[in-house]
């Protein structure tokens, strides 16, 4: 039996300027490290066959499956605010698209599968560490209910990649509802190719915003749609303490999924100014800056769409500004609603926002762990005697004072303590991919070829809202000497 991929490709049917046709470069000795079996089934693939040597060869790019139409996608992008007119898939190849069990079109892409015409000075490869990191964090995001690309598989190539040292090479199979980015539009905008922008916009509408096709002003509606999805996405990030780390326009997805997990990280202690990425020296992509940056990226998208907004450019600019102007409110609504749930409020009242902000301020001042504070707050809601939350604060009295006001507010709602705790536990995870855990997993894999810690971490993170007593230690923040201060792109 050979592995069958039910490909139904649409992007590779777009004009030639949208991509370069290029096959993956075969690797020496592919070995499957991890297959995401439930995702394989969801995509209509046979997980048993993918686990055979032939399957590993496909997932490593050594064999191209029937029906694939391998391409590297063209895109441009603003990297840390600097425009680069040509980036493109320099180390990723889109094998093709499948329609999943829910009828959703999904890209199947190999990342780290060899050079392409967009590789510039890069080798087209990926190191094992960043591949495992993306696997862990993207699947954790999925389990947290946050729109994201998925990870279908990780393979080691049997070859080394040269970074600062020689490292084991690997390939990640990434699944996305598409890999179209703000930078994809920028690629054509900078070339003044309005026909291509229209083709791309039509493709995006049909694929991601089908409800907009046939409406009166579909391109305006498209911008509004992307604005809404990005605003909601970034709110979701903030609500779990996620820092993307490289919110360049080429890493900003049109479908509203989290994409391109490089130096991303979850914060331990709450700090709005937190930055982990070693290359983000100015803190452009700091935790609390993310909404502002998302809007900046969307403004770049709006500029690309202006030619589709009509002949009169002054009017087009005005319309774009109006559509972008909705972002702060959409973001704020999603963020505040999420925060209310995190502190266990079922209703909305004047003063809630200030109450919650006071908690966040106290957390920042007292270096309280973001994840555990909210999770323990759920325990405190369930049982007034449970006082673990206060231990997260350097000065526990700061929590006590806030908690008195909070209990006063909760008393105005009819829900029982148990009901409230259940609701809070469903939005406040206990397990997140903590940096020190991710690092430890990578070290074991890279140095000792030991994947047991990786497997265990992935297992725990698949159920982030469930207390898992056997794995309780995974909830713990790092000890001072375990703290990870910086994360790296590792490209
Ligand atoms: P990223 O920082 O991963 O979003 O990548 C930014 C750009 O650099 C994209 O065009 C990538 O395809 C390209 N790139 C990153 N790493 C490599 C590599 N090892 N070889 C070739 N291109 C790369
Ligand atoms: Mg990228």
């Amino acid at each position: 039996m050979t592995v069958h991929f039910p490909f139904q490709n649409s992007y590779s049917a777009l004009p030639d300027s949208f991509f370069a046709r290029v096959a993956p470069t075969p690797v020496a000795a592919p070995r499957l490290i991890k297959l995401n079996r439930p995702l394989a089934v969801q995509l209509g693939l046979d997980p048993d066959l993918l686990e055979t040597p032939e399957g590993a060869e496909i997932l490593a790019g050594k064999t191209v499956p029937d029906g694939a139409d391998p391409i590297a996608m063209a895109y441009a992008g603003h990297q840390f605010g600097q425009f680069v007119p040509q980036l493109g898939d320099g180390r990723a190849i889109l094998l093709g698209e499948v329609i999943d069990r829910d009828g959703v079109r999904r890209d199947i892409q190999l990342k780290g599968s060899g050079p392409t015409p967009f590789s510039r000075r890069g080798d087209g490869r990926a190191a094992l560490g960043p591949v495992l990191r993306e696997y862990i964090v993207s699947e954790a995001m999925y389990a947290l209910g946050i729109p994201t690309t998925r990870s279908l598989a990780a393979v080691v190539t049997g070859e080394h990649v040269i970074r600062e040292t020689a490292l084991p090479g690997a390939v990640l199979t990434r699944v996305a509802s598409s890999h179209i980015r703000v930078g994809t539009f920028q690629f054509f905008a900078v070339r003044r190719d309005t026909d291509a922008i229209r083709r791309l916009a039509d493709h995006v509408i049909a694929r991601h915003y089908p409800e907009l096709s046939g409406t009166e002003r579909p391109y305006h509606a498209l911008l509004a749609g992307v604005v809404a999805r990005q605003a909601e996405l970034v709110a979701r990030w903030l609500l779990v303490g996620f820092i993307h780390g490289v919110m360049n326009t080429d890493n900003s997805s049109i479908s509203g999924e989290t994409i391109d997990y490089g130096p991303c990280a979850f914060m331990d202690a709450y700090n709005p100014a937190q930055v982990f990425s070693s290359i983000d020296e100015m803190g452009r992509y700091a935790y609390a800056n993310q909404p502002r940056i998302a809007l900046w990226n969307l403004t770049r998208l709006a500029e690309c769409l202006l030619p589709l907004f009509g002949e009169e450019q002054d009017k087009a600019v005005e319309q774009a500004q109006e559509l972008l102007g909705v972002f702060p409110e959409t973001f704020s609504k999603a963020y505040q609603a999420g925060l209310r749930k995190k502190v266990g409020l079922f209703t909305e009242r004047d003063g809630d926002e200030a109450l919650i902000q006071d908690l966040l301020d106290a957390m920042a001042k007292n270096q309280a762990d973001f994840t555990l504070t909210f999770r323990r707050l759920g325990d405190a809601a369930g049982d007034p005697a449970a006082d673990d939350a206060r231990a997260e604060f350097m000065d526990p009295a700061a929590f006590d004072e806030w908690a008195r006001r909070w209990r006063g507010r909760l008393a105005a709602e009819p829900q029982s303590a148990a009901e409230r705790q259940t609701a809070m536990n469903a939005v406040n995870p206990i397990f997140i991919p903590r940096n020190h855990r991710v690092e430890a997993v990578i070290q074991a894999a890279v140095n000792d070829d030991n994947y047991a810690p990786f497997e265990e971490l992935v297992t725990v993170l698949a159920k982030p809202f469930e207390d898992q007593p056997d794995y309780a230690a995974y909830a713990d923040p790092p000890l001072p000497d375990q703290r990870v201060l910086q994360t790296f792109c590792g490209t």
Side-chain angles (χ1 to χ4, degrees):
M1 277 284 281
T2 56
V3 190
H4 172 66
F5 283 69
F7 284 120
Q8 291 192 32
N9 307 326
S10 67
Y11 202 84
S12 64
L14 289 168
D16 285 349
S17 56
F18 282 58
F19 51 79
R21 273 210 163 76
V22 53
T25 307
V27 294
R31 174 163 63 101
L32 185 65
I33 294 306
K34 177 74 181 169
L35 178 71
N36 187 337
R37 293 181 59 101
L39 180 58
V41 171
Q42 172 69 14
L43 296 173
L45 306 173
D46 182 333
D48 293 331
L49 289 178
L50 282 172
E51 281 178 347
T52 62
E54 188 209 344
E57 289 198 353
I58 290 173
L59 297 167
K62 196 173 179 181
T63 311
V64 175
D66 284 348
D69 192 0
I71 58 172
M73 289 168 69
Y75 53 86
H78 277 92
Q79 299 186 306
F80 290 90
Q82 297 296 316
F83 186 64
V84 184
Q86 181 168 310
L87 289 165
D89 287 333
R91 55 159 171 173
I93 287 175
L94 176 63
L95 286 181
E97 302 151 28
V98 299
I99 310 295
D100 76 10
R101 289 197 154 182
D102 296 323
V104 179
R105 181 176 293 277
R106 315 276 290 267
D107 276 4
I108 300 182
Q109 188 204 60
L110 303 180
K111 187 170 172 183
S113 53
T116 76
F118 301 110
S119 295
R120 294 173 292 160
R121 286 181 302 277
D123 60 1
R125 292 295 180 192
L128 176 58
V131 164
L132 296 181
R133 192 181 177 76
E134 175 153 358
Y135 192 107
I136 294 163
V137 183
S138 65
E139 287 303 303
M141 291 289 266
Y142 169 72
L144 288 165
I146 299 176
T148 177
T149 62
R150 303 285 309 273
S151 295
L152 176 64
V155 294
V156 287
T157 58
E159 295 175 2
H160 280 95
V161 297
I162 309 301
R163 296 295 178 257
E164 270 155 29
T165 54
L167 296 167
V171 177
L172 179 82
T173 307
R174 178 161 73 176
V175 175
S177 70
S178 89
H179 285 83
I180 301 167
R181 310 131 192 272
V182 170
T184 318
F185 282 90
Q186 290 181 294
F187 181 84
F188 297 112
V190 68
R191 287 162 180 78
R192 306 211 173 280
D193 189 345
T194 303
D195 285 342
I197 298 172
R198 190 174 294 111
R199 277 301 280 276
L200 181 61
D202 290 342
H203 177 88
V204 164
I205 290 170
R207 187 160 173 182
H208 298 299
Y209 301 87
E211 67 282 5
L212 305 182
S213 62
T215 56
E216 205 184 317
R217 299 198 303 180
Y219 306 121
H220 293 76
L222 171 61
L223 178 59
V226 184
V227 166
R229 286 197 200 171
Q230 281 285 334
E232 275 155 26
L233 178 66
V234 174
R236 303 290 299 271
W237 290 355
L238 296 203
L239 291 166
V240 295
F242 177 76
I243 305 168
H244 182 284
V246 248
M247 287 176 71
N248 294 333
T249 55
D250 54 303
N251 294 338
S252 181
S253 135
I254 295 294
S255 74
E257 289 176 339
T258 312
I259 188 172
D260 265 11
Y261 293 88
C264 61
F266 281 71
M267 60 186 179
D268 298 301
Y270 177 64
N271 168 18
Q274 183 72 57
V275 174
F276 285 102
S277 168
S278 63
I279 53 171
D280 191 3
E281 286 158 17
M282 310 293 285
R284 178 181 171 90
Y285 300 140
Y287 170 80
N289 255 354
Q290 296 183 113
R292 216 170 311 161
I293 292 293
L295 179 55
W296 192 90
N297 291 346
L298 290 162
T299 308
R300 306 287 80 77
L301 173 65
E303 287 163 0
C304 299
L305 294 175
L306 287 179
L308 308 186
F309 279 14
E311 291 295 314
E312 284 178 63
Q313 283 301 285
D314 287 353
K315 207 163 144 200
V317 169
E318 213 171 280
Q319 291 165 344
Q321 277 167 343
E322 200 172 300
L323 296 167
L324 292 165
V326 173
F327 181 97
E329 199 191 321
T330 308
F331 165 76
S332 179
K333 241 181 163 163
Y335 179 59
Q336 292 299 335
L339 283 174
R340 274 198 305 279
K341 286 189 181 163
K342 285 181 84 69
V343 300
L345 294 179
F346 288 90
T347 53
E348 194 176 341
R349 281 200 178 184
D350 282 350
D352 286 349
E353 204 171 316
L355 177 71
I356 296 167
Q357 190 57 48
D358 288 346
L359 173 65
L360 291 171
D361 290 346
M363 286 166 65
K365 205 163 152 197
N366 286 277
Q367 296 176 24
D369 185 82
F370 183 80
T371 305
L372 288 186
T373 299
F374 285 108
R375 186 73 179 191
R376 300 305 173 216
L377 202 58
D379 300 339
D383 173 8
D387 64 353
D388 281 351
R390 66 194 302 275
E392 296 300 324
F393 290 70
M394 270 185 338
D395 172 15
F399 174 77
D400 297 337
E401 196 205 310
W402 181 84
R404 269 192 297 277
R405 290 164 57 205
W406 174 61
R407 291 200 184 280
R409 171 66 180 87
L410 297 188
E413 297 188 343
Q415 281 79 11
S416 72
E419 213 176 325
R420 171 163 288 113
Q421 182 175 4
T422 303
M424 290 174 78
N425 283 359
V427 295
N428 292 324
I430 178 156
F431 299 110
I432 53 160
R434 297 206 180 248
N435 297 324
H436 67 295
R437 289 282 179 184
V438 175
E439 275 314 309
V441 158
I442 290 173
Q443 291 312 320
V446 172
N447 299 333
D448 304 326
D449 198 31
N450 176 8
Y451 291 90
F454 168 76
E455 282 294 340
E456 191 163 285
L457 184 59
V458 168
T459 303
V460 174
L461 293 175
K463 294 176 179 165
F465 299 106
E466 265 176 46
D467 287 311
Q468 301 175 57
D470 289 349
Y471 299 117
Y474 281 88
D476 294 341
L479 298 169
D481 66 324
Q482 294 174 322
R483 244 175 239 152
V484 174
L485 301 176
Q486 271 197 330
T487 51
F488 300 88
C489 255
T491 52

